[in-house]
Every structure is written in structure tokens, then in C-alpha cells.
Amino acid sequence: MKKITNQILKKVIRQRPADSYKGTYGRIALIGGSQNFGGAIIMASLAAVYAGAGLVTTITDPTNQTSLHDWLPEAMFVDNHDFKTAAPIIKGANVIVIGPGLGTDNLALSLLTRTFELVHENQTLIVDGSALTLLAHNHLSLPKPSLNILTPHQMEWQRVSGIKIADQTPTANQKAATALHAIVVIKSHRTEVYVNDTVYQNTGGTPAQATGGMGDTLAGMIGGFTAQFSDKAKATLAAVYTHSAIADKLAKKQYVVLPHQISEALPKFMLKNQAEN
Amino acid sequence: MKKITNQILKKVIRQRPADSYKGTYGRIALIGGSQNFGGAIIMASLAAVYAGAGLVTTITDPTNQTSLHDWLPEAMFVDNHDFKTAAPIIKGANVIVIGPGLGTDNLALSLLTRTFELVHENQTLIVDGSALTLLAHNHLSLPKPSLNILTPHQMEWQRVSGIKIADQTPTANQKAATALHAIVVIKSHRTEVYVNDTVYQNTGGTPAQATGGMGDTLAGMIGGFTAQFSDKAKATLAAVYTHSAIADKLAKKQYVVLPHQISEALPKFMLKNQAEN
Amino acid sequence: MKKITNQILKKVIRQRPADSYKGTYGRIALIGGSQNFGGAIIMASLAAVYAGAGLVTTITDPTNQTSLHDWLPEAMFVDNHDFKTAAPIIKGANVIVIGPGLGTDNLALSLLTRTFELVHENQTLIVDGSALTLLAHNHLSLPKPSLNILTPHQMEWQRVSGIKIADQTPTANQKAATALHAIVVIKSHRTEVYVNDTVYQNTGGTPAQATGGMGDTLAGMIGGFTAQFSDKAKATLAAVYTHSAIADKLAKKQYVVLPHQISEALPKFMLKNQAEN
Amino acid sequence: MKKITNQILKKVIRQRPADSYKGTYGRIALIGGSQNFGGAIIMASLAAVYAGAGLVTTITDPTNQTSLHDWLPEAMFVDNHDFKTAAPIIKGANVIVIGPGLGTDNLALSLLTRTFELVHENQTLIVDGSALTLLAHNHLSLPKPSLNILTPHQMEWQRVSGIKIADQTPTANQKAATALHAIVVIKSHRTEVYVNDTVYQNTGGTPAQATGGMGDTLAGMIGGFTAQFSDKAKATLAAVYTHSAIADKLAKKQYVVLPHQISEALPKFMLKNQAEN
């Protein structure tokens, strides 16, 4: 296993070119947030915007519209019952994040399958949270975008891969990830990332992060990084590293680190760790 | 009476083990917040999350969904009219906090009695605020979880115990607490905690705390501490001490201390006062 | 005219007694905030809570419930269409603030007249904003609480007193205030306060304060001060002085001072300027 | 082309006269914010208030009422379906900003045309965002207020002027702007402002600003500046300069600058750069 270290940051986080505009930094559609789990999609959206994504649209339950804008007037909103409005947003996105707080009811399943139908070869698709559970339980096939990125925790990975947690060795995981033609980010206190032939292990992370919403925030960050940076595998590694590096820093002063605090710390962290000219 | 001092903190607030995940730090269900008193359950939930609870679900009036997520995207939401969704959350929780802003109408009574029916022997149940009034006025019996913790102010304690405020001596209180088989936290400017044979008196606290919402915050903190720390009696004492210690510190710079400020100060306070290895 | 100076502060802002509870610091009901002017009652409520009032209930349009709790989980909420719930809150309050953002439609008039009917001799009533316009246009008589405090700007004072702005001399104003048996706070860049035989002029204030919501904040502060401090006339003078003193301080660093910033600065300002023991 | 430099600031941002009140600093009506794009009008309103506008009313979809007040209790709200209430607000404003997040549906078109009918010769009208698209697609004529200010990005300018982006030379742009009898602010990484015979180019701006909502914030700032300062052309130049100067400063510490951060920095920036006496 290769270690993910701070070396990845300067390889990924480029200095922004002077003559650029918001479209340069990608369009992201985030799909999730039932009435019960609205906070999850808000935290993912927050991460995407604070990571620097150009244009962010959040497709969620209408009861989450106001909280979304309270945290993030910068995000656009689409009612997840209004697929006519959502479809062109999904098709026009460079990056789609589906799953944070999506839930597993019929609407959730319908959103997942209709999104899978729309996904095309110029997109990065990030499948997270309950979308992974739906994927497994309904024996869905992943669509064929330019790149699929799966971000399960260990139980979700068991559901998707069929490998029990105790048996989730790097070899077994890699085999399953290869079969899925996907980058797989298996979240634990030392997160692993499976990219083709290589297994990466994150070197950061703190138990202060062990709180609800951390995974939603990571999914949004991977969205924000892959929307902006051309090497999607390295962008994923850099997002994983950044997520824990910020948490490690905050944990020097806090017993618990709240997910939204990581997002709010992104702009300063990214500037300090961008590529030198 | 024994004094509660800062000695309790390092006995309770353990250093988090490296290999842990959000489930390690407990699942809390908070039940309360009518349309009139929504702020109370938001403040209790805020305290639980900022104290480090792993997974927090707030069961409340739907008009409070957005305010909850504005303060706390980290919390999950359940409509308190939807008991079908609420029931498995309540059963699956390690700690239940019921009462902050619950009100005393028929829905409130129904939520209380149905929750009491679900409570089982692996749970800690914290009964606060209007749940105590309902308990007294409807002559309900406490259920039999692993532990009941009651957090009345003096008038609520009068209702529950039948002891008039003027007669609430340590001896009388202890007798009543013993009969209830519960830890009882009687809130006043020097809060007392009754644990089996022992009466504890808090040594901190400031009149700057005398403002609406302080009790809701304490109930949420006791929830957060008992969810994470194994000795529930000591966790209760540590939460009581922490609540007033943060207030005392803030009161050096503020004429009044707002409850939400105490919660927001928890992560730094707890790190400074955690057990040394 | 007497000058209002910082001498008033230590005469009014007492050190809080150790053995006190939230009821010691008063119960305030604030009535206002139509759908169009919801921000006004939120700003008034914010001022009341941050000034240290013990228990605050805001009676307002239901579309303002969530914004109220987003700013202030410490406040309780009552739907202003539900007078059955509002009436006991109004009767049980020590201080009533009516007017900020109330509007002038039929519901507003009904709320005003029904509140006037409930007011009793143990209360302080603060009449602000559109309540003053309604008072004038409908030729209502003020009720007879322990004390009426009117907080008009100059145009509202013209409506209430019949004195045109150009003719609003201290002598004319004092005569009208005496006839109303009320303390009258006439807001301008040098606010005047009429108390029985004496006219006071504020010595602070900055044009950086000339922005919407300043008056609502002052009304809430007068509510918070009169709820806590026994000499109501002096409490009013101290609130007027504090409002402009905080603004003057903020204006050293800001081109415009937002009303909510004044409220948020209250706890520190009040501690620094409390009476010495 | 003339350069817009910090010299413009002290020519425009006057020291506020002591004897002034909120009316001195203008009344602004902002019209925009569909259900999908509510954040845009919130960001524009935030900019107007923090720039120091005296009285701000936001006319928007009712689903945005709460988010508006969460960011800005200082703003008044009107439901954009209630034109009876909106019309006198629009007529009574000194400055109207129409377009941020307005959308392009039938309601949006109706709001635009009805606003155009109400506009009169004592007003400044700022046409932004989707209002520009509607203007172009429906071949509407601009109304005849005292001054029209258009704030297109390059694609919107193509729609309005018919000049393709590649052909948007200063000469071509100036000719089109002159034909429109409007100040035209063409937004890009070096924004240009067309005022009668003169073309101005901004000297500030950073790629950290390339994120959704920046244009909405600029439109609100131009609203706030033209509401307060008598020379409307210079006020526009000063707003353009201020917007990028604040962003440049924030970008020294942040990889991406969020639009709302620019608004929140306005009060301090404006004080530092106001005219000396």
C-alpha cells in the first residue's frame, strides 16, 4: 500500500489561472437529502462550494431549501420531485454526487436509477451513502461515465462488494474495485483508496472526526476537487488527505470536530497548500 | 453533601481511542420541541452534538426542521407526528432525552407514553422539562431502562416528588430520588445531583446563566456525556460541572451567557479537560 | 435639557445577585412582525435576549417562526393568529413590546386593541413602530399599565402628538408627553427622552446607525432593560445611551453599523458598565 | 481605456453627515430569486445592506422569505406574486435592482415588464442576470428612469447587444452602450464599465472570485452605492472597484472567495476608504 501524504496536495491544487471564470471550475449537481436526512446533502454541498467548485446545484427535498440557502446562498436549489427541472442540471454537470442523506425509499431509488440513465461519458459520478445501499440491495449496475468514484464506509462496502468487514483485505478489496471499474474510497480511521492497480492508505485522521456527517463532507469535497482538477484519481487522493489533515489540525484544539468546520476551513488550507509556480 | 469539582472531568472525559467510529460515541434520540417551544429541543440537540455524541436524531414538530438544520446539519430529523419513523430510532438509541420544549398537550403526552413503552434495559433515559410536568400530572410511572436521569428545576421537582420547594432538603430529596430509582439533577444556582446514597452539590454557576434555555442545554449535555462515557453517574456529574464551568468562564466577559454559547464552547473545553494518558 | 451620559449606566446595570433564576430577570412578550416586516420583530427580540431578559416570547406571523429560531433559539414563539395562546403570555409578562414590524392591517389593529385590553397595572408597555401609527390613525387611548413608554421617530411622533416635525420643540413635546402620561423616546440623531418634568438628550449616536432596524433594536433593548432593572425611567435612559454607545464604538471600524451587531455586543458592553459593588 | 483605481473611492464614499437618517441613504427594491435561484437575490440584498443602503426591500419567491431574514433581518420582504404590495415599494424606491436569480419563466417576465412600466425619471434601474436574458429574448425596450445600469457577463452582453463574445471590443461595446443610453458593466476577469464617451477598465480582481454569486453581489453593491452617492456613474465605478479590491484582499488568505464574504467585509473597507474631511 502506498501512503497518501501531503505530497499529493501541491500536485493537485493548482494556482488558479488569472483569465478564468466560474465555468472553469466545474458544475456540480448534488443529489440527496430526504426530509429526515437533509443535513447530509447540505454538508456535502457546503464542502463542494468551499472547495472552490464553480457552480453548485443541490437537488433535494423541498423542506431542505431554506436550510440549504441559510448555509449556502451560493448554491442553486432544485426540488427532487421535479425531475423535469433536475434532468438538464444533471446532464449539464461535470460532476455528480449522489447519495448523502438520499434515503432508501421509492423516491430515492427512482432518483438513483433516473440519474444513472442520464449519466454520460464526460462526467465524474460520485456514489455515496444510501445510494450505495440502494445499489447493492437492488442489484443495480453502475453507469458508464468517464469515472465512477464510490465512497463507502466498511458496512456499505460489504453491501456493495459482498466482502464481509472482517474479510476486507487490500487484495480482496482491490479485486472488487477493479471489477467495478471504479475508484473506491473505503472510509475508516485510516481510509483506503483503490485506484486501478494501486492501493493507497491515508496517513491522517483523528477520532475527533468520529461524528455524523463526516462522510457527507468528504463526498462533497471529492466533488469539489474532481470538478476543478484534471487528474481525477489524484484529485480524489488529495480530497481524502485534505479532509483528515484539516480535522487533525482542528483536533489539536477540539475534542470533537464538526463536519461543517472542515468545509469552512477549506479556503485557507487550499491556498496554503497549492502548487508553487 | 459532596462537592462536584473539576476533579470529575479527567475521571470522565477519556481520550478518544484511535480506532473508533461514530457508533463508538453513541446514538441519541432527542424528543421535544412543539411549535411554541422549538428552540428548546434545538438547544438540547446542539449540546449533544457539540459534546461529541456520535449520531443525533431530533424528533420534533415539523415547523422546527429548518431551524434545527440551520444550527445543526449534523443532526437527523424526524417529524414527531410520524411515530412509525420515530419508533425504531428511539429503540435503537443508547440515550434518549425527552422533554425540552415538548409541551403538555395531547401529542406531547402521547409521545411520552409511547416512548416509555419502547424504552428498554440497554438505554439511558433523560427526562427533562415538560416531560416531568406530564409525568407528575398524569401520575405516570417511569419505565425501566438501564438508568433514568431526571433533570427538574425546583418547581418541576415539587410536581414530581410532591415536596414543596421550601421543604426540598437533601434528606427529603434523596428519599424521593431513591424511591424513583433515578439519578435526579435538581437545578438551581447551586445544582444538586442525587445518586443512590450520595448527594452532590455543584460548586460552579453564575447568575449570568439565569436565562431561558439553560436547562435544555444541560439536558442535551447530559445526553452527550452519557452516550460517550461508561460510568453514567460520573458522566452526569461531569456534564453538570462542565455546563457551569463554561458559563463561569464566559461570564467573565459577558453580562448574560446565552445557552448556545455554552454548547459552542464544549469542544475546546472538553479537550483541555480530558484524561491524561 | 439634561444630557444622558455614561453616568447612567452604573446607576442602572446592577451586578446580578448570586441567588437568582431566570424569572428574576423578567418575562417579555414582543408582538409584531407581519409577513412583510418579520425582520423587525426578530431584531427587537434579539436585543431583548442579549440584554439579559429572563424569558422572551415572540408573538408574530407564522412565516417568521424559523427565522426567529435561527437567530434566537432562546426565544419562544406564538403564532399571532392564535390569540388564545398569546393572551396568557401577554397577561403573564412583566414587559410588553408591541409594534416592531406589526404593520397596519386589520390583524395588526386587532392585536393592538386586544393587547391594550389585557394590559394591567403590573406591566410596562412599550409602544413602537406601526403600533404608534395605528394608535394615531385609529384615535386609540393608551391603556393604563404601570408605565407606558412610546418610542416614535419624528414622523410617528407627529402622528401621535399632532405636532409637526418642525414644531417639535422640547416644550411642545413635553406638554404632549405629559398629557399621554408616558415616557416618550423621540428618536433622531440626538434622541430625546421625556420623563415627567424632565427632558433628556442623548449625547451619543452616529450616522453609521442610519439604517433600517435600528429603532426595532432600541425598542427590544428598552424591553430588556425595563424587564431587569427596577427604576424604569432610568432603565429607559440607560438603554438609549447603550444603544448609541455601542454604535459609536462599532462605527470606529465600520461605515455602517447593522442593528443585529449592536445586540450581539450587548453582553460585553453591559458587563463592562455594570455597577461596582 | 481609463483604469479604475483606488482613486475613485475617496471621490465617492463620502463621510456621512451627522444629521442624517435612514432615508438619507436611499430606498432600494431588489426583485429576483425564483424558487431555484433564491440565493442570488439574498446575496444581492446582503450586498446592498452591508454597503449602507438606508432601507432595503426584497421582492422574491415566498420560499425565500426565511433564508432572506436568516441572513438579513434588516431587509423587508414582499412576495413576488403579490404585485399589489410590490408596486408601491417599486415606485417609492430610489434604486431598483432587478434580475438576480429572477429566472426566465412567465412570472419572471411579468415582473420585469410590470416593473419597467412603473419605473420613473427619479430612479436608478439596475438590470442584471436573467432580466438581461429576458430583455434580449423578448426584445423589450429599456424604460426611461434617470439612469439605466446594465451588469451583464459576456454571454448576457452578447444576448443584449447582439455582439458575439469574440467581437466585444471596446469600440463595439461602447457603440452598443451608447445606443442603449445606459451605463454598461461588462463583467469578466477585468471588468469594463461603459459610461457615455468613456470606457473604464477595472484593475483588480482575482480568479478566487470565479464562483457562483459574484455577479449577484456586485449588482447589490452597485445598488447600495448608487442609493447613497450622488454621482451615479462614479458610484458604479467605485462599486466595481470595491468588489474586486475586497476579493483581492481576501484571496491573500483564501483559495476561493465566497460572495457573502465580500458583502460582510464592506463596512470596514468603506470606512477605511471614505473621503477625508
Side-chain angles (χ1 to χ4, degrees), chain B residues 35-99:
Chain B
Q35 193 179 14
N36 293 132
F37 307 120
I41 200 69
I42 291 169
M43 289 185 282
S45 304
L46 197 72
V49 169
Y50 278 76
L55 281 162
V56 172
T57 302
T58 303
I59 302 167
T60 187
D61 191 88
T63 60
N64 300 320
Q65 179 187 346
T66 294
S67 328
L68 175 70
H69 283 148
D70 288 348
W71 280 96
L72 212 52
E74 290 83 4
M76 290 164 284
F77 161 80
V78 174
D79 182 342
N80 64 4
H81 299 77
D82 174 13
F83 206 77
K84 194 177 155 188
T85 301
I89 302 288
I90 293 169
K91 279 193 282 191
N94 308 106
V95 175
I96 299 164
V97 179
I98 189 162

Coordinates of all heavy atoms in Angstrom, one line a residue, chain B residues 35-99:
Chain B
Q35 N -44.5 23.5 18.4 CA -44.4 24.7 17.6 C -44.0 25.9 18.4 O -43.3 26.8 18.0 CB -45.7 24.9 16.8 CG -45.5 25.9 15.7 CD -46.7 26.2 15.0 OE1 -47.8 25.9 15.4 NE2 -46.6 26.9 13.8
N36 N -44.5 25.9 19.7 CA -44.2 27.1 20.5 C -42.8 27.1 21.1 O -42.2 28.1 21.4 CB -45.2 27.2 21.6 CG -46.6 27.6 21.1 OD1 -47.6 26.9 21.5 ND2 -46.7 28.5 20.2
F37 N -42.3 25.9 21.4 CA -41.0 25.8 22.1 C -39.9 25.0 21.3 O -39.2 24.3 21.9 CB -41.3 25.0 23.4 CG -42.4 25.6 24.3 CD1 -43.5 24.8 24.6 CD2 -42.4 26.9 24.7 CE1 -44.6 25.3 25.3 CE2 -43.4 27.4 25.5 CZ -44.5 26.7 25.8
G38 N -39.9 25.3 20.1 CA -38.9 24.6 19.2 C -37.5 24.9 19.6 O -36.6 24.0 19.4
G39 N -37.2 26.1 20.0 CA -35.8 26.5 20.4 C -35.2 25.5 21.4 O -34.0 25.3 21.4
A40 N -36.1 25.0 22.3 CA -35.6 24.2 23.4 C -34.9 22.9 22.9 O -33.9 22.5 23.4 CB -36.7 23.9 24.4
I41 N -35.6 22.2 22.0 CA -35.0 21.0 21.5 C -33.8 21.2 20.6 O -32.9 20.4 20.5 CB -36.1 20.1 20.8 CG1 -35.7 18.7 20.8 CG2 -36.4 20.6 19.4 CD1 -35.6 18.0 22.1
I42 N -33.8 22.4 19.9 CA -32.6 22.8 19.1 C -31.4 23.0 20.1 O -30.3 22.5 19.8 CB -32.9 24.0 18.3 CG1 -34.0 23.7 17.2 CG2 -31.6 24.6 17.7 CD1 -34.5 24.9 16.5
M43 N -31.6 23.7 21.2 CA -30.5 23.9 22.1 C -30.0 22.6 22.7 O -28.8 22.4 22.9 CB -30.9 24.9 23.1 CG -31.1 26.3 22.6 SD -31.4 27.6 23.8 CE -33.1 27.3 24.1
A44 N -31.0 21.7 23.1 CA -30.6 20.4 23.6 C -29.8 19.6 22.6 O -28.8 19.0 22.9 CB -31.8 19.7 24.1
S45 N -30.2 19.6 21.3 CA -29.5 18.9 20.3 C -28.2 19.4 20.0 O -27.2 18.7 19.8 CB -30.4 18.9 19.0 OG -31.7 18.4 19.2
L46 N -28.1 20.7 20.0 CA -26.8 21.4 19.8 C -25.8 21.0 20.9 O -24.6 20.7 20.6 CB -27.0 22.9 19.9 CG -25.9 23.8 19.4 CD1 -25.9 23.8 17.8 CD2 -26.1 25.3 19.8
A47 N -26.3 20.9 22.1 CA -25.4 20.5 23.2 C -24.9 19.0 23.0 O -23.7 18.7 23.3 CB -26.1 20.6 24.6
A48 N -25.8 18.2 22.6 CA -25.5 16.8 22.4 C -24.4 16.6 21.3 O -23.4 15.9 21.5 CB -26.7 16.0 22.1
V49 N -24.6 17.3 20.2 CA -23.6 17.2 19.1 C -22.3 17.8 19.5 O -21.2 17.2 19.3 CB -24.2 17.8 17.8 CG1 -23.1 17.9 16.7 CG2 -25.4 17.0 17.3
Y50 N -22.3 19.0 20.1 CA -21.0 19.6 20.4 C -20.3 19.0 21.5 O -19.1 19.2 21.7 CB -21.2 21.1 20.6 CG -21.3 21.9 19.4 CD1 -22.5 21.9 18.6 CD2 -20.2 22.7 18.9 CE1 -22.5 22.6 17.4 CE2 -20.3 23.4 17.7 CZ -21.4 23.4 17.0 OH -21.5 24.1 15.8
A51 N -21.0 18.1 22.3 CA -20.4 17.3 23.4 C -19.7 16.1 22.8 O -19.0 15.4 23.5 CB -21.4 16.9 24.4
G52 N -20.0 15.8 21.5 CA -19.3 14.7 20.9 C -20.1 13.5 20.6 O -19.5 12.4 20.2
A53 N -21.4 13.5 20.8 CA -22.2 12.3 20.5 C -22.0 11.9 19.1 O -21.9 12.7 18.2 CB -23.7 12.6 20.8
G54 N -22.1 10.6 18.8 CA -21.8 10.1 17.5 C -22.9 10.3 16.5 O -22.6 10.8 15.4
L55 N -24.1 10.0 16.8 CA -25.2 10.2 15.9 C -26.4 10.7 16.7 O -26.9 10.1 17.6 CB -25.6 8.8 15.3 CG -24.7 8.3 14.2 CD1 -24.8 6.9 13.9 CD2 -25.0 9.1 12.9
V56 N -26.9 11.8 16.2 CA -28.0 12.5 16.9 C -29.2 12.6 16.0 O -29.1 13.1 14.9 CB -27.5 13.9 17.4 CG1 -28.7 14.7 18.0 CG2 -26.4 13.7 18.4
T57 N -30.4 12.2 16.5 CA -31.6 12.4 15.8 C -32.6 13.2 16.7 O -32.8 12.9 17.8 CB -32.3 11.0 15.4 OG1 -31.4 10.3 14.7 CG2 -33.6 11.2 14.6
T58 N -33.2 14.2 16.1 CA -34.1 15.0 16.8 C -35.5 14.8 16.3 O -35.8 15.0 15.1 CB -33.7 16.5 16.6 OG1 -32.4 16.6 17.1 CG2 -34.6 17.4 17.4
I59 N -36.4 14.4 17.2 CA -37.8 14.1 16.9 C -38.6 15.3 17.4 O -38.8 15.5 18.6 CB -38.2 12.8 17.6 CG1 -37.3 11.7 17.1 CG2 -39.7 12.5 17.3 CD1 -37.4 10.4 17.9
T60 N -39.2 16.1 16.5 CA -39.8 17.3 16.9 C -40.9 17.8 15.9 O -41.1 17.1 14.9 CB -38.7 18.4 17.0 OG1 -39.2 19.6 17.5 CG2 -38.1 18.7 15.6
D61 N -41.6 18.8 16.2 CA -42.6 19.4 15.3 C -42.0 19.7 14.0 O -40.9 20.3 13.9 CB -43.2 20.6 16.0 CG -44.4 21.1 15.2 OD1 -45.5 20.6 15.5 OD2 -44.3 21.9 14.3
P62 N -42.7 19.5 12.9 CA -42.1 19.7 11.6 C -41.7 21.2 11.3 O -40.9 21.5 10.5 CB -43.1 19.2 10.6 CG -44.4 19.0 11.3 CD -44.0 18.8 12.7
T63 N -42.4 22.1 12.0 CA -42.0 23.5 11.8 C -40.6 23.8 12.4 O -40.1 24.9 12.1 CB -43.0 24.5 12.5 OG1 -43.1 24.2 13.9 CG2 -44.4 24.3 11.9
N64 N -40.0 22.9 13.1 CA -38.7 23.1 13.6 C -37.6 22.5 12.7 O -36.4 22.6 13.1 CB -38.6 22.6 15.0 CG -39.6 23.2 15.9 OD1 -39.8 24.4 15.9 ND2 -40.2 22.4 16.8
Q65 N -38.0 21.8 11.7 CA -37.0 21.1 10.9 C -35.9 22.0 10.3 O -34.7 21.7 10.4 CB -37.6 20.4 9.7 CG -36.7 19.7 8.8 CD -37.3 19.1 7.5 OE1 -38.6 19.1 7.4 NE2 -36.5 18.7 6.5
T66 N -36.3 23.1 9.8 CA -35.3 24.0 9.2 C -34.4 24.7 10.2 O -33.2 24.8 10.0 CB -36.0 25.1 8.3 OG1 -36.7 24.4 7.2 CG2 -35.1 26.1 7.8
S67 N -35.0 25.2 11.3 CA -34.1 25.8 12.3 C -33.1 24.8 12.9 O -32.0 25.1 13.2 CB -34.9 26.3 13.5 OG -36.2 26.8 13.2
L68 N -33.6 23.5 13.0 CA -32.7 22.5 13.5 C -31.5 22.4 12.6 O -30.3 22.4 13.0 CB -33.4 21.2 13.6 CG -32.5 20.0 14.0 CD1 -32.0 20.1 15.4 CD2 -33.2 18.6 13.7
H69 N -31.7 22.3 11.3 CA -30.6 22.1 10.4 C -29.8 23.4 10.2 O -28.6 23.4 9.8 CB -31.1 21.6 9.0 CG -31.4 20.2 9.1 ND1 -32.4 19.5 8.4 CD2 -30.9 19.2 9.8 CE1 -32.4 18.3 8.6 NE2 -31.5 18.0 9.5
D70 N -30.4 24.6 10.4 CA -29.6 25.8 10.4 C -28.6 25.8 11.5 O -27.5 26.3 11.3 CB -30.6 27.0 10.5 CG -31.4 27.2 9.3 OD1 -31.1 26.6 8.2 OD2 -32.3 28.0 9.3
W71 N -29.0 25.3 12.6 CA -28.0 25.3 13.7 C -27.1 24.1 13.6 O -25.9 24.1 14.0 CB -28.7 25.2 15.1 CG -29.2 26.6 15.5 CD1 -30.4 27.1 15.3 CD2 -28.4 27.6 16.2 NE1 -30.4 28.4 15.8 CE2 -29.2 28.7 16.4 CE3 -27.1 27.7 16.6 CZ2 -28.8 29.9 17.0 CZ3 -26.6 28.8 17.2 CH2 -27.5 29.9 17.4
L72 N -27.6 23.0 13.0 CA -27.0 21.7 13.2 C -27.3 20.8 12.0 O -28.1 19.9 12.1 CB -27.7 21.1 14.5 CG -26.9 20.2 15.4 CD1 -25.6 20.8 15.8 CD2 -27.8 19.9 16.6
P73 N -26.6 20.9 10.9 CA -26.8 20.0 9.8 C -26.4 18.6 10.2 O -26.8 17.6 9.6 CB -25.9 20.5 8.7 CG -24.9 21.3 9.3 CD -25.6 21.9 10.5
E74 N -25.6 18.5 11.3 CA -25.2 17.2 11.7 C -26.3 16.3 12.4 O -26.1 15.1 12.5 CB -24.0 17.4 12.8 CG -22.7 17.9 12.2 CD -22.7 19.4 12.0 OE1 -23.7 20.1 12.4 OE2 -21.7 19.9 11.5
A75 N -27.4 16.9 12.7 CA -28.5 16.2 13.3 C -29.4 15.6 12.3 O -29.7 16.3 11.3 CB -29.2 17.0 14.3
M76 N -30.0 14.5 12.5 CA -31.1 14.0 11.7 C -32.4 14.4 12.3 O -32.5 14.7 13.4 CB -31.0 12.5 11.6 CG -29.8 12.1 10.7 SD -29.3 10.3 10.9 CE -28.5 10.4 12.5
F77 N -33.4 14.5 11.4 CA -34.7 15.0 11.8 C -35.8 13.9 11.6 O -35.9 13.3 10.6 CB -35.1 16.2 11.0 CG -36.5 16.6 10.9 CD1 -37.1 17.3 12.0 CD2 -37.4 16.2 9.9 CE1 -38.4 17.6 12.0 CE2 -38.7 16.5 9.9 CZ -39.3 17.2 11.0
V78 N -36.7 13.8 12.6 CA -38.0 13.1 12.4 C -39.1 13.9 12.9 O -39.1 14.5 14.0 CB -37.9 11.7 13.2 CG1 -39.2 11.0 13.1 CG2 -36.8 10.8 12.7
D79 N -40.2 13.9 12.1 CA -41.4 14.6 12.4 C -42.1 13.9 13.6 O -42.3 12.7 13.5 CB -42.3 14.5 11.1 CG -43.7 15.2 11.3 OD1 -44.1 15.4 12.5 OD2 -44.3 15.4 10.3
N80 N -42.4 14.6 14.6 CA -42.9 14.0 15.8 C -44.4 13.5 15.7 O -44.9 12.9 16.6 CB -42.8 14.9 17.1 CG -43.6 16.1 17.0 OD1 -44.3 16.4 16.0 ND2 -43.4 17.0 17.9
H81 N -45.0 13.7 14.5 CA -46.3 13.1 14.2 C -46.1 11.8 13.5 O -47.1 11.1 13.3 CB -47.1 14.0 13.3 CG -47.4 15.4 13.9 ND1 -46.4 16.4 13.9 CD2 -48.5 15.9 14.4 CE1 -47.0 17.4 14.5 NE2 -48.2 17.2 14.8
D82 N -44.9 11.4 13.2 CA -44.7 10.2 12.4 C -44.0 9.2 13.3 O -42.8 8.9 13.2 CB -43.8 10.6 11.2 CG -43.3 9.4 10.4 OD1 -43.8 8.3 10.6 OD2 -42.4 9.6 9.6
F83 N -44.8 8.6 14.2 CA -44.2 7.7 15.2 C -43.7 6.4 14.6 O -42.8 5.8 15.1 CB -45.2 7.4 16.3 CG -44.5 7.1 17.6 CD1 -44.0 8.1 18.4 CD2 -44.4 5.7 18.0 CE1 -43.3 7.8 19.5 CE2 -43.7 5.4 19.2 CZ -43.2 6.4 19.9
K84 N -44.2 6.1 13.4 CA -43.7 4.9 12.7 C -42.2 5.1 12.4 O -41.4 4.1 12.5 CB -44.5 4.7 11.4 CG -44.3 3.4 10.8 CD -45.2 3.2 9.5 CE -44.6 2.2 8.6 NZ -45.3 2.2 7.3
T85 N -41.8 6.2 11.9 CA -40.4 6.5 11.7 C -39.6 6.7 13.0 O -38.5 6.3 13.1 CB -40.2 7.8 10.8 OG1 -40.9 7.5 9.6 CG2 -38.8 8.0 10.5
A86 N -40.3 7.3 14.0 CA -39.6 7.6 15.2 C -39.3 6.4 16.0 O -38.2 6.3 16.7 CB -40.4 8.6 16.0
A87 N -40.2 5.4 16.0 CA -40.1 4.3 16.9 C -38.7 3.5 16.8 O -38.1 3.3 17.8 CB -41.3 3.3 16.7
P88 N -38.3 3.1 15.6 CA -37.0 2.4 15.5 C -35.8 3.3 15.9 O -34.8 2.8 16.4 CB -37.0 2.0 14.0 CG -38.0 2.8 13.3 CD -39.0 3.2 14.3
I89 N -35.9 4.6 15.7 CA -34.9 5.5 16.1 C -34.8 5.5 17.6 O -33.7 5.4 18.2 CB -35.2 6.9 15.6 CG1 -35.3 7.0 14.1 CG2 -34.1 7.9 16.2 CD1 -34.0 6.9 13.4
I90 N -36.0 5.5 18.3 CA -36.0 5.5 19.8 C -35.5 4.2 20.3 O -34.7 4.1 21.2 CB -37.4 5.8 20.3 CG1 -37.8 7.2 19.9 CG2 -37.5 5.6 21.8 CD1 -39.3 7.6 20.1
K91 N -35.9 3.1 19.7 CA -35.5 1.8 20.1 C -34.0 1.6 19.9 O -33.3 0.9 20.7 CB -36.2 0.7 19.4 CG -37.6 0.5 20.1 CD -38.3 -0.8 19.6 CE -38.9 -0.6 18.2 NZ -39.8 -1.7 17.8
G92 N -33.4 2.1 18.8 CA -32.0 1.9 18.5 C -31.1 2.9 19.2 O -29.9 2.7 19.1
A93 N -31.6 3.8 20.0 CA -30.7 4.8 20.7 C -30.1 4.2 21.9 O -30.7 3.4 22.6 CB -31.5 6.0 21.0
N94 N -28.9 4.6 22.3 CA -28.3 4.3 23.6 C -28.8 5.3 24.6 O -29.0 4.9 25.8 CB -26.8 4.5 23.5 CG -26.2 3.7 22.4 OD1 -25.8 4.3 21.4 ND2 -26.2 2.4 22.5
V95 N -29.1 6.5 24.2 CA -29.6 7.5 25.1 C -30.8 8.2 24.5 O -30.8 8.5 23.3 CB -28.5 8.5 25.4 CG1 -29.0 9.7 26.3 CG2 -27.3 7.9 26.1
I96 N -31.8 8.4 25.3 CA -33.0 9.1 24.9 C -33.1 10.4 25.8 O -33.0 10.2 27.1 CB -34.3 8.3 25.1 CG1 -34.1 7.0 24.2 CG2 -35.5 9.1 24.7 CD1 -35.2 5.9 24.5
V97 N -33.3 11.5 25.2 CA -33.6 12.7 26.0 C -35.0 13.1 25.6 O -35.3 13.4 24.5 CB -32.6 13.9 25.6 CG1 -33.0 15.1 26.4 CG2 -31.2 13.5 25.9
I98 N -35.9 13.2 26.6 CA -37.3 13.6 26.3 C -37.7 14.7 27.2 O -37.4 14.7 28.4 CB -38.3 12.4 26.4 CG1 -39.6 12.8 25.8 CG2 -38.4 11.8 27.7 CD1 -40.6 11.7 25.4
G99 N -38.3 15.8 26.6 CA -38.8 16.8 27.4 C -38.6 18.3 27.0 O -39.5 19.1 27.1

